[in-house]
Amino acid sequence: ETGVTQTPRHLVMGMTNKKSLKCEQHLGHNAMYWYKQSAKKPLELMFVYNFKEQTENNSVPSRFSPECPNSSHLFLHLHTLQPEDSALYLCASSHTTGGGVDDEQFFGPGTRLTVL
Amino acid sequence: SQKIEQNSEALNIQEGKTATLTCNYTNYSPAYLQWYRQDPGRGPVFLLLIRENEKEKRKERLKVTFDTTLKQSLFHITASQPADSATYLCALEDSWGKFQFGAGTQVVVTP
């Protein structure tokens, strides 16, 4: 496989469930990102990892918990979500972070999450 | 606070014409500005990057301009085709690599 893959593509969960989103990149990049995209709103950056270390957390509620075991894999663990958390969750990767022409981001297809 | 504005109204354009999209920003000093294309149900795809010291960049039928005085970027699709129909996002990146996206403008090209 090439590029950035995400699983599952669709997820429906109740507010008491615990689930995880998975992202894998096959591009040899060192930086990975989680974004939330709600209808008619800009992409909201949630978390940034660079060389497996979290470098950015944009005041994301603790019910979202990221995990980056290595530079190729990124998880988003979900628990006790709210209906307003329903959105498209996008994973992206780039060569690195810190400013530069290599910071073009490659996105996965996203996970469409619905919280009932 | 930092703000990126893209026209929220869809741009309807006839095939063969030039589509022009705007991206305005305030309270931001971007080092780079990027444009992405997003199709429904899919992740954004990178199109072009322009640096703060560049005025214009071209790639095939795409042209981007960047005016740091006006705090504005224009994105042009020349000889537009129905396959160009999508939402186009601008993204600003500062010198420290901090990214911020606009909400995007939908383009609809009709035959």
Side-chain angles (χ1 to χ4, degrees):
Chain A
E1 272 194 88
T2 58
V4 181
T5 58
Q6 289 186 244
T7 55
R9 293 295 309 277
H10 300 272
L11 179 61
V12 179
M13 58 187 289
M15 290 191 284
T16 57
N17 292 156
K18 287 185 181 181
K19 297 285 184 184
S20 295
L21 309 185
K22 179 183 175 183
C23 175
E24 185 173 359
Q25 58 96 0
H26 309 268
L27 300 168
H29 289 162
N30 299 305
M32 297 188 77
Y33 311 76
W34 278 117
Y35 286 90
K36 175 184 178 182
Q37 188 174 35
S38 304
K40 304 295 183 186
K41 286 188 175 180
L43 284 167
E44 297 174 47
L45 180 62
M46 300 174 72
F47 303 103
V48 181
Y49 280 82
N50 200 27
F51 293 94
K52 301 190 300 178
E53 298 297 320
Q54 188 179 120
T55 58
E56 200 160 338
N57 175 342
N58 278 340
S59 304
V60 181
S62 59
R63 57 185 184 270
F64 294 91
S65 174
E67 179 190 359
C68 189
N70 54 61
S71 292
S72 299
H73 294 86
L74 186 64
F75 296 89
L76 188 62
H77 304 298
L78 316 171
H79 65 98
T80 57
L81 293 192
Q82 306 297 312
E84 59 264 28
D85 296 322
S86 299
L88 181 68
Y89 288 85
L90 290 160
C91 172
S93 72
S94 66
H95 179 65
T96 185
T97 63
V101 293
D102 288 331
D103 282 348
E104 160 194 347
Q105 296 194 6
F106 292 78
F107 284 83
T111 295
R112 174 66 64 185
L113 174 67
T114 302
V115 181
L116 302 176
Chain B
S1 62
Q2 296 171 338
K3 199 172 179 182
I4 301 173
E5 289 183 344
Q6 293 187 256
N7 196 337
S8 58
E9 285 186 23
L11 177 64
N12 291 284
I13 191 162
Q14 197 171 16
E15 183 176 8
K17 302 291 186 184
T18 297
T20 299
L21 309 179
T22 59
C23 176
N24 296 302
Y25 59 93
T26 55
N27 297 323
Y28 211 110
S29 296
Y32 307 95
L33 190 146
Q34 301 184 13
W35 283 89
Y36 289 77
R37 168 187 173 138
Q38 187 173 22
D39 291 284
R42 307 184 82 161
V45 175
F46 172 79
L47 295 174
L48 279 167
L49 177 150
I50 187 166
R51 299 186 181 109
E52 61 177 335
N53 60 354
E54 294 178 317
K55 296 294 184 186
E56 182 179 301
K57 204 76 168 282
R58 291 175 185 261
K59 180 182 175 182
E60 297 172 352
R61 294 183 296 107
L62 307 179
K63 185 178 87 169
V64 171
T65 62
F66 193 11
D67 189 327
T68 55
T69 302
L70 292 178
K71 297 186 183 296
Q72 180 182 78
S73 174
L74 299 179
F75 177 81
H76 306 272
I77 308 172
T78 59
S80 58
Q81 304 168 359
D84 295 326
S85 299
T87 296
Y88 292 85
L89 312 175
C90 71
L92 274 61
E93 181 186 2
D94 63 21
S95 302
W96 294 272
K98 188 172 176 66
F99 252 93
Q100 189 168 346
F101 278 84
T105 299
Q106 184 184 10
V107 172
V108 179
V109 182
T110 52

